[in-house]
């Protein structure tokens, strides 16, 4: 038993070593990723649900992609946490903001309808003193009105320090920028905070949407979130919509907007523009 215990311990540490070796490798590679042009954005369309079975593209969510020559595509779920602990998320996040808004300008010039751009914010960026001014500066540089930018902040990041969150939200709101709460339902925001948060939208987490067809509890949760949001004057957008059944349920409950593979995967900018043009020409 003693020997087993020691083996288990050794196995554990070597696995930990492998993990931290990979983390170190990624960290070093990530430091150069931006200057080497390995970062790009994909865009996933967001749809407003309209009368009948109509839907209309109202915006795009910018999603960061990293392609490394040897490591291949590295998932944001793996590299964003590394970018956060190293502080690299600050320059990378600024690049994402600038690039996404510049893309919006290019789509405008190409004749696409006026969309809003949703950009994900890390808690690290959110806590940084300079964020409201930085956002204002980038908007001015690129020439996009603040109303067309929507910043997505996870519920966890907002609840990390609600007092700070309220201050930053107020500062962004004063500049005309809209905020949404991402992954809503996975954290534990108290309803009293939700009232104080300057947000305009709740993004219902995909974990609830996934099981809508066979899980009565998830249906009840989604229904309750949509009703509560309505009562608080907030919009709802359901993420990860993959089936017609999920869409029908969300429509019936009065969810205003959706996003998911049923409509489109996240696309490179050029493919997104083609997706838009194909929709308007039919
Ligand atoms: P998120 O913000 O919750 O983004 C939604 C994720 O779900 C994206 O994964 C998207 O590709 C995926 N998705 C969209 N529709 C569907 C669907 O119908 N089914 C399924 N199964 N998945 C769907 P992705 O692009 O891998 O991003 C993962 C996470 O990485 C994001 O979750 C976000 O938290 C983070 N992230 C991505 N880009 C950025 C960024 O620029 N800044 C920061 N701070 N975080 C980012
Ligand atoms: Ca998001
Ligand atoms: Ca989300
Ligand atoms: Ca997420």
């Amino acid at each position: 038993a003693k020997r087993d215990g020691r083996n288990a311990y050794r196995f554990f540490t070597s696995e930990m070593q492998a993990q931290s070796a990979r983390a170190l490798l990624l960290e070093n590679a990530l430091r150069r990723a931006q200057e080497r042009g390995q970062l790009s954005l994909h865009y996933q369309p967001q749809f407003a649900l309209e009368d009948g079975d109509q839907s209309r593209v109202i915006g795009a969510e910018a999603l960061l992609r990293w392609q490394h020559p040897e490591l291949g595509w590295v998932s944001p779920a793996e590299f964003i946490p590394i970018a956060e602990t190293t502080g690299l998320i600050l320059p990378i996040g600024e690049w994402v903001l600038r690039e996404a808004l510049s893309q919006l300008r290019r789509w405008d010039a190409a004749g696409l309808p006026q969309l809003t751009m949703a950009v994900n914010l890390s808690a690290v960026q959110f806590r940084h003193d300079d964020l409201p001014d930085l956002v204002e500066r980038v908007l001015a540089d690129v020439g996009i009105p603040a109303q067309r930018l929507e910043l997505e902040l996870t519920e966890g990041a907002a609840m990390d320090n609600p007092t700070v969150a309220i201050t930053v939200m107020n500062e962004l709101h004063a500049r005309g920028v809209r905020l949404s709460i991402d992954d809503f339902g996975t954290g534990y925001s108290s309803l009293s905070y939700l009232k104080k948060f300057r947000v305009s939208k709740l993004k219902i987490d995909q974990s609830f949407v996934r099981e809508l067809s066979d899980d009565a509890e998830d249906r009840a949760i989604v229904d309750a979130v949509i009703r509560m949001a309505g009562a608080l004057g907030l919009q709802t957008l359901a993420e990860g919509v993959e089936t017609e059944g999920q869409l029908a349920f969300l429509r019936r409950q009065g969810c205003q907007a959706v996003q998911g593979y049923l409509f489109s995967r996240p696309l490179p900018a050029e493919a997104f523009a083609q997706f838009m043009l194909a929709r308007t020409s039919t």
Side-chain angles (χ1 to χ4, degrees), residues 101-222:
L101 293 173
S102 302
Q103 187 55 57
L104 201 54
R105 278 297 297 259
R106 292 192 284 270
W107 285 336
D108 286 352
L112 262 59
Q114 294 253 310
L115 303 171
T116 61
M117 182 61 77
V119 174
N120 290 285
L121 266 192
S122 146
V124 176
Q125 290 170 279
F126 193 70
R127 276 196 303 266
H128 198 73
D129 289 341
D130 188 34
L131 181 73
D133 289 339
L134 171 75
V135 170
E136 185 174 38
R137 200 159 60 235
V138 174
L139 283 164
D141 287 352
V142 182
I144 291 284
Q147 291 69 25
R148 292 180 68 193
L149 173 64
E150 189 170 288
L151 295 174
E152 298 192 358
L153 183 70
T154 63
E155 191 184 5
M159 288 308 295
D160 195 36
N161 188 335
T163 316
V164 171
I166 290 168
T167 307
V168 180
M169 285 176 183
N170 286 340
E171 285 184 32
L172 288 166
H173 180 82
R175 288 164 173 80
V177 176
R178 284 185 299 173
L179 273 162
S180 59
I181 300 278
D182 204 352
D183 301 349
F184 187 77
T186 59
Y188 49 97
S189 38
S190 83
L191 299 182
S192 65
Y193 276 119
L194 210 48
K195 203 177 69 179
K196 293 182 189 134
F197 285 164
R198 289 271 196 173
V199 298
S200 50
K201 190 182 287 175
L202 302 181
K203 293 192 77 177
I204 303 171
D205 191 65
Q206 38 185 288
S207 59
F208 302 109
V209 175
R210 194 173 303 134
E211 309 269 302
L212 277 183
S213 310
D214 25 55
D215 191 322
E217 284 171 350
D218 283 347
R219 279 200 294 278
I221 291 170
V222 169

Side-chain angles (χ1 to χ4, degrees), residues 227-267:
R227 282 161 189 268
M228 179 196 61
L232 292 172
L234 304 174
Q235 304 265 318
T236 44
L237 180 149
E239 305 189 271
V241 177
E242 295 184 353
T243 71
E244 292 288 351
Q246 293 164 350
L247 178 61
F249 176 82
L250 292 161
R251 248 185 214 291
R252 234 175 10 248
Q253 306 310 309
C255 183
Q256 282 103 353
V258 291
Q259 192 182 337
Y261 295 169
L262 177 64
F263 295 87
S264 172
R265 292 188 171 254
L267 300 168

Side-chain angles (χ1 to χ4, degrees), residues 49-111:
L49 298 179
E50 300 187 318
D51 292 347
D53 59 356
Q54 299 295 103
S55 59
R56 185 169 54 93
V57 181
I58 47 168
E61 178 178 1
L63 292 157
L64 188 56
R65 296 289 176 262
W66 177 22
Q67 188 173 28
H68 185 273
E70 281 103 47
L71 302 165
W73 292 96
V74 185
S75 160
E78 188 175 19
F79 74 78
I80 298 273
I82 297 171
E84 288 177 328
T85 51
T86 54
L88 284 167
I89 195 67
L90 292 173
I92 291 174
E94 181 174 346
W95 177 83
V96 168
L97 187 63
R98 203 171 282 278
E99 177 60 24
L101 293 173
S102 302
Q103 187 55 57
L104 201 54
R105 278 297 297 259
R106 292 192 284 270
W107 285 336
D108 286 352

Side-chain angles (χ1 to χ4, degrees), residues 27-60:
E27 180 184 327
N28 286 324
L30 194 55
R31 284 189 192 285
R32 283 164 195 84
Q34 201 181 334
E35 67 199 38
R36 294 188 178 168
Q38 297 165 358
L39 300 181
S40 64
L41 294 178
H42 282 187
Y43 301 90
Q44 189 176 37
Q46 299 180 322
F47 296 78
L49 298 179
E50 300 187 318
D51 292 347
D53 59 356
Q54 299 295 103
S55 59
R56 185 169 54 93
V57 181
I58 47 168

